[in-house]
Amino acid sequence: MPDGDEHPKWKEVLELLERLGINLDPWQLDVLYASLLRRGEYWAAFAVSVCCPRQNGKNEILQARQLVGALILGEKLQIHSAHLADTCMEAFTRLDDLIDANEWLLDRVDFVRRTNGREQIGFVGGARIRFRTRTRGGGRGFSGSPVYLDEPMFLPVIAQNAILPVMSAQPDPQVWYTGSAVDQLEHQDGIVFAGVRERALAGEDDRLAYFEWSVDAPAPDELGEDIANDPAVWAATNPAFGIRISPEYIKAEQHDLGQRGFAVERLGVGDWPDTDLNADAVINFETWMENEDAAASLLDPVCLSYDVSPDRRSTISMSGLDYQGRKCIEVVECEIGTGWVPIKIAELCEEHEVVELVCDGFGPANAIATHVEEKTGRIVRRLKSGEYADACGMFANEVEEHALIHMGQERLTNSVRGARVRPLVDRWAWSRSKSKTDPGPVISSSIALWSMVDRDIANREELMIF
């Protein structure tokens, strides 16, 4: 918790919560108290972060803070954001129901807009609370304060980079991060949240209020059964244990979640990503961003590639030219497992003029190449090690020379930022084991690009560029 003075209206806050019927647990009250500490004319905490297992009551804190902001502090525009529309709507509905349950509060409400995607609550006096679904790089509409970034396990770096500068125009901004432990197998955009956590552990950010409940273990897969089965550990890592989460429920869900899932979701043991993605990076991130064109789209014919990461996450990518005749890549799909890959590739072959199907002949993707061939009725070209290295080098060179366009897809951008290499005899290749993020998107995109150049798509007579 940052150093600061108790908010001069703290007693009013407690009275409001009592009148609303909001009975916060002691730990929830601690978070709210810290978020309202003052340091002169500013919030002591520019950033407030809560990381704890699900169903413990993070959302009740946000409800309380939002109503305090609207009814006591007079904050003109608060913005609650989530990565999914359904998650955002759920937060809006909870607050809407709470207002309906307090008849006296209805007199303080000016309007409630329930239009899908435009949900907001307006109060007499001009205070508003808006509910927004986060979009890639979308900073418009985030010029209020506080901004609540719910579920930051799904918060791309590029989205945060768009939001925070817009907030800087506010006289006394505050940003919230409320989520649970990041698992790199499930959360491809957890780097921002991991960075907040690193600042907290370092203890060097005097304007960060950070609260975490977790088992102190290096990784989910390294948690011993004796610790995972200990009810005392359950209680220590779940602040609502015995209040809204029963030991019977935890014991029942343990079987369904599995060892890793239970460690992450219930005991707060994260598989946190490395945030220093610029160290040892092959591709300059600024150059990569300069090559982005979100409006670009591929024109048939295309070359199609797929890859399988060590964690069994599969990625399908395509490469071709856009309507301006520029080399362009697109990640079509990226999901856990491999069973869906042949089916999806067969669908893509029906939808597009696919010149070639390609994969790394010495990587995990080769194991399902036969299934892809059976499903599509086409031959999968399996790259030799030298060809794979050429594909990796070509991708990096084309980016550096601004000769390759991408669409700004989050999975591909994160893959490029975390991509690391392994040395070969006289060259290098993307490494699946050393990469700091899922390497599948950058590997499959590199192979698709190489295939496109090798098959000389740009000079096919039937291709017309308008």
Side-chain angles (χ1 to χ4, degrees):
M1 288 173 58
D3 293 331
D5 298 321
E6 181 177 286
H7 198 285
K9 295 186 177 181
W10 178 244
K11 289 184 179 179
E12 292 182 42
V13 170
L14 297 178
E15 291 169 358
L16 175 64
L17 297 182
E18 183 177 0
R19 193 176 182 190
L20 288 168
I22 299 178
N23 300 311
L24 295 183
D25 302 339
W27 72 276
Q28 294 171 317
L29 209 56
D30 285 342
V31 175
L32 182 62
Y33 181 85
S35 74
L36 297 175
L37 289 174
R38 300 296 293 175
R39 187 178 297 172
E41 299 180 358
Y42 301 98
W43 296 119
F46 166 75
V48 181
S49 180
V50 179
C51 180
C52 71
R54 299 180 182 278
Q55 300 173 324
N56 274 279
K58 297 184 292 289
N59 291 312
E60 283 77 2
I61 306 173
L62 296 185
Q63 278 186 332
R65 176 63 181 85
Q66 289 163 3
L67 287 174
V68 166
L71 299 174
I72 294 180
L73 305 181
E75 292 170 327
K76 292 301 182 183
L77 178 59
Q78 301 180 74
I79 300 169
H80 183 116
S81 82
H83 68 300
L84 295 176
D86 288 348
T87 306
C88 215
M89 175 61 79
E90 185 178 347
F92 167 77
T93 301
R94 281 195 300 265
L95 192 57
D96 192 21
D97 290 343
L98 180 61
I99 291 173
D100 286 341
N102 289 271
E103 292 187 9
W104 65 271
L105 186 53
L106 296 177
D107 294 334
R108 302 284 300 274
V109 175
D110 184 25
F111 64 85
V112 178
R113 292 178 182 163
R114 299 181 175 87
T115 306
N116 187 30
R118 298 178 178 273
E119 293 83 5
Q120 64 176 301
I121 300 172
F123 296 82
V124 175
R128 290 183 296 144
I129 305 173
R130 290 193 63 187
F131 295 81
R132 293 285 310 276
T133 304
R134 288 191 294 270
T135 58
R136 186 197 167 282
R140 291 193 304 172
F142 282 86
S143 57
S145 177
V147 170
Y148 306 91
L149 301 173
D150 196 18
E151 305 290 2
M153 307 89 70
F154 305 94
L155 176 61
V157 173
I158 194 169
Q160 188 205 39
N161 289 348
I163 293 169
L164 292 187
V166 177
M167 283 183 59
S168 66
Q170 299 300 311
D172 190 14
Q174 186 176 76
V175 59
W176 284 64
Y177 304 87
T178 54
S180 54
V182 170
D183 180 359
Q184 292 189 77
L185 294 186
E186 299 294 333
H187 309 131
Q188 297 299 303
D189 296 316
I191 293 174
V192 171
F193 200 24
V196 175
R197 183 176 189 266
E198 283 188 4
R199 298 205 312 271
L201 293 176
E204 298 172 352
D205 188 344
D206 69 347
R207 296 200 65 200
L208 170 64
Y210 185 85
F211 299 82
E212 176 178 318
W213 285 262
S214 63
V215 173
D216 187 10
D221 295 327
E222 298 181 35
L223 190 67
E225 288 189 14
D226 55 335
I227 296 177
N229 296 331
D230 187 352
V233 174
W234 302 350
T237 54
N238 290 270
F241 185 83
I243 302 173
R244 62 185 64 85
I245 298 179
S246 68
E248 291 77 18
Y249 174 82
I250 292 180
K251 188 173 183 179
E253 76 171 357
Q254 189 172 15
H255 298 287
D256 292 332
L257 289 175
Q259 179 183 350
R260 183 185 180 90
F262 186 75
V264 175
E265 301 293 348
R266 184 52 57 204
L267 303 183
V269 182
D271 180 11
W272 295 92
D274 187 345
T275 59
D276 185 14
L277 296 184
N278 290 321
D280 303 323
V282 175
I283 295 177
N284 181 277
F285 188 66
E286 292 183 3
T287 303
W288 172 258
M289 297 305 296
E290 291 170 357
N291 292 355
E292 176 184 331
D293 184 353
S297 61
L298 283 173
L299 180 72
D300 282 345
V302 296
C303 289
L304 192 151
S305 173
Y306 70 94
D307 191 66
V308 180
S309 299
D311 60 6
R312 308 302 293 170
R313 181 181 295 275
S314 302
T315 306
I316 299 174
S317 296
M318 294 194 304
S319 181
L321 301 181
D322 71 350
Y323 280 98
Q324 298 182 44
R326 301 174 298 180
K327 298 172 189 173
C328 185
I329 50 174
E330 177 183 1
V331 173
V332 180
E333 194 121 0
C334 183
E335 299 292 343
I336 288 289
T338 59
W340 62 271
V341 175
I343 300 172
K344 183 63 180 180
I345 291 179
E347 293 175 356
L348 292 170
C349 288
E350 291 290 331
E351 297 170 2
H352 297 275
E353 180 189 345
V354 178
V355 174
E356 188 170 53
L357 302 180
V358 203
C359 76
D360 176 10
F362 292 90
N366 188 43
I368 62 170
T370 301
H371 298 294
V372 173
E373 291 174 335
E374 292 173 351
K375 191 67 179 178
T376 62
R378 304 183 57 162
I379 299 297
V380 175
R381 182 176 181 179
R382 298 155 172 84
L383 296 194
K384 301 174 183 178
S385 58
E387 293 172 327
Y388 173 59
D390 288 343
C392 299
M394 176 185 294
F395 185 90
N397 291 339
E398 294 286 285
V399 171
E400 183 179 353
E401 295 171 6
H402 297 280
L404 177 64
I405 297 300
H406 64 92
M407 303 171 186
Q409 295 172 292
E410 294 165 5
R411 289 196 181 280
L412 179 56
T413 293
N414 286 339
S415 185
V416 167
R417 288 196 66 173
R420 297 299 179 266
V421 303
R422 56 184 173 88
L424 298 177
V425 177
D426 56 352
R427 61 191 90 179
W428 57 267
W430 300 124
S431 172
R432 293 181 178 83
S433 60
K434 295 181 180 179
S435 291
K436 300 181 179 181
T437 54
D438 181 11
V442 72
I443 291 176
S444 58
S445 295
S446 298
I447 294 174
L449 174 66
W450 181 89
S451 174
M452 168 198 169
V453 173
D454 184 67
R455 295 299 299 267
D456 201 16
I457 281 184
N459 292 319
R460 285 171 61 98
E461 294 181 358
E462 63 270 32
L463 179 62
M464 296 181 63
I465 305 298
F466 297 93

